[in-house]
Amino acid sequence: MGTLGILLRKNHVFETLCKVNHLVVDKTGTLTHGDIEINETTLYGDFLQGDWNEERALAIAAELEAHANHPIARAFRTFKTGEYEITDVENIIGSGVVGIYQGKTLKIGSATFVLGSNNRRVKANSIYLSIDDELVATFSYHDPIRKESQEFIEAFKASVLK
């Protein structure tokens, strides 16, 4: 089995393997390239007295996301300018990042974390940025699918597994 790249640590694995009827795959970096990219920015409101634009929103988001170690956070690295000093930064694992900029509380992360549970602006594959609990930007992202993943998915669909 080792020549096939399979390592078994327990003897009962082969006995159990024939009973498997579901397959769970972590898609990031497995079915996809794992190189998440920001592909759309939607702005709301008028933060910073009319000087609110996509470049600034991405740069502020990048400063916050620099405190997180997640594939989506890494997608913001190219937008980091170092212009914005954010203090009191706290990374809330699984939710997002919160910090202070010019006396205002910034949050970036999931819709539930940033907008609360009663929100209507939820979009798939998106990260949200709020300032003092007001939504100011939504960043949509994508992770390109590997070419060989299509072949794997078709073989999987043809199997008896679910």
Side-chain angles (χ1 to χ4, degrees):
M1 296 300 287
T3 59
L4 296 174
I6 299 171
L7 175 64
L8 300 176
R9 294 184 51 203
K10 308 265 182 182
N11 293 336
H12 73 283
V13 170
F14 279 118
E15 295 169 17
T16 307
L17 192 58
C18 65
K19 297 176 185 175
V20 171
N21 60 7
H22 286 77
L23 175 67
V24 179
V25 179
D26 175 17
K27 73 170 185 65
T28 304
T30 304
L31 298 179
T32 65
H33 287 283
D35 296 323
I36 296 173
E37 301 168 348
I38 305 301
N39 62 340
E40 182 183 347
T41 301
T42 305
L43 301 177
Y44 308 95
D46 191 22
F47 178 64
L48 299 177
Q49 296 82 34
D51 200 12
W52 188 234
N53 58 43
E54 182 175 356
E55 183 179 304
R56 194 165 205 183
L58 285 163
I60 288 173
E63 292 295 334
L64 277 168
E65 289 287 13
H67 297 274
N69 187 20
H70 186 276
I72 298 169
R74 289 192 292 272
F76 286 91
R77 286 182 181 164
T78 58
F79 304 107
K80 193 171 184 313
T81 63
E83 274 182 65
Y84 305 98
E85 185 179 335
I86 299 173
T87 61
D88 302 321
V89 178
E90 183 181 356
N91 183 4
I92 297 150
I93 305 297
S95 295
V97 180
V98 63
I100 305 295
Y101 176 68
Q102 293 185 346
K104 298 181 182 292
T105 301
L106 293 103
K107 285 185 182 177
I108 191 164
S110 69
T112 302
F113 176 69
V114 174
L115 307 174
S117 59
N118 298 325
N119 57 69
R120 290 179 260 162
R121 293 186 179 177
V122 177
K123 291 171 42 178
N125 299 324
S126 293
I127 296 295
Y128 301 85
L129 175 65
S130 71
I131 299 173
D132 285 342
D133 292 322
E134 180 184 334
L135 179 64
V136 294
T138 301
F139 307 100
S140 298
Y141 60 87
H142 77 284
D143 187 2
I145 295 174
R146 293 176 184 268
K147 288 180 189 176
E148 57 271 19
S149 293
Q150 185 62 40
E151 193 176 299
F152 168 77
I153 291 168
E154 287 173 12
F156 175 73
K157 285 180 179 178
S159 75
V160 296
L161 300 177
K162 296 179 182 188

